[in-house]
Amino acid sequence: MFVNQIALKRKFCILFLLVAGFLHGQTTRKYSNEFMNIGVDAAALGMANAVTASTHDVNSGYWNPAGLVGIAEGQVALMHASYFANIAQYDYAAYAKPIDDKSSWGVSLIRFGVDDILNTTELIDDQGNIDFNRVSKFSTADYGFTFSYARKLPLDGLQYGVNAKVIRRIIGDFANSWGFGVDVGFKFERKQMGYRINAERHYDNLQYLEH
């Protein structure tokens, strides 16, 4: 019995290393929607974002959708943060709710933007005169909407989650774009052994539409 436990632990260690290598390969890639990688939840940020395998609340939709099956009732999360000397504003809102004892769903919205940017493209009129009344303001912002679904699998301790993402970028009246993404998360937990494994894969596409 003891020998079997050691062999099982070795298998889990090998699987964990393979998954860790896979995740590292994903995190080194760069996408145009980097604002989605800033992070949410003060507790998770305090853990240096090392929560993808342990998350089990409304914020799981961001870190690992498989963790949503850990919620027992409806939950709401709100977050606001300022960046670059209060120039950029980051806002996050999420809601999640169990469907039954085996599945849950959730939605979340992230906005990262800079407001009240001076538009001086019309500062000089046709006669070459400077007219400050022609100065206007605009905002540039990225929006990320995510719909999440999670469900327990027949194997005890194994669960999965899926995110469907819609990305929207608006740069005043100058340009805008749409993007779409899908990621899948898995979570496997054996309480007596304390192993948790998470794997994610992202597919993103961002297309600009200029006016």
Side-chain angles (χ1 to χ4, degrees), residues 32 113 151:
S32 54
R151 186 174 182 83

Side-chain angles (χ1 to χ4, degrees), residues 71-187:
I71 64 176
E73 57 185 3
Q75 296 182 2
V76 176
L78 298 172
M79 174 181 167
H80 172 78
S82 298
Y83 290 86
F84 312 118
N86 209 36
I87 295 176
Q89 307 300 320
Y90 181 83
D91 296 286
Y92 163 77
Y95 175 77
K97 184 178 181 180
I99 299 174
D100 49 38
D101 59 345
K102 293 184 178 180
S103 59
S104 300
W105 69 276
V107 293
S108 65
L109 176 66
I110 293 176
R111 180 189 186 271
F112 185 66
V114 177
D115 302 306
D116 297 330
I117 303 172
L118 295 179
N119 178 11
T120 60
T121 57
E122 303 293 332
L123 177 62
I124 302 176
D125 61 21
D126 296 336
Q127 305 300 320
N129 300 315
I130 296 178
D131 184 357
F132 289 101
N133 292 324
R134 297 168 62 90
V135 176
S136 59
K137 295 181 179 180
F138 69 97
S139 298
T140 176
D142 291 331
Y143 298 86
F145 177 80
T146 303
F147 178 81
S148 308
Y149 174 79
R151 186 174 182 83
K152 293 181 180 178
L153 292 172
L155 179 62
D156 185 34
L158 182 61
Q159 55 212 43
Y160 76 94
V162 179
N163 281 336
K165 299 179 179 180
V166 178
I167 309 298
R168 176 67 165 162
R169 174 168 291 175
I170 301 176
I171 306 176
D173 294 328
F174 304 104
N176 63 81
S177 63
W178 290 95
F180 306 91
V182 176
D183 59 74
V184 180
F186 295 91
K187 186 175 179 182

Side-chain angles (χ1 to χ4, degrees), residues 1-10:
M1 181 66 179
F2 181 73
V3 175
N4 291 336
Q5 288 182 351
I6 294 178
L8 184 59
K9 288 182 179 181
R10 287 179 178 175

Side-chain angles (χ1 to χ4, degrees), residues 43-63:
L45 295 174
M47 291 288 291
N49 300 347
V51 296
T52 56
S54 60
T55 182
H56 59 274
D57 58 12
V58 62
N59 298 306
S60 297
Y62 179 91
W63 297 109

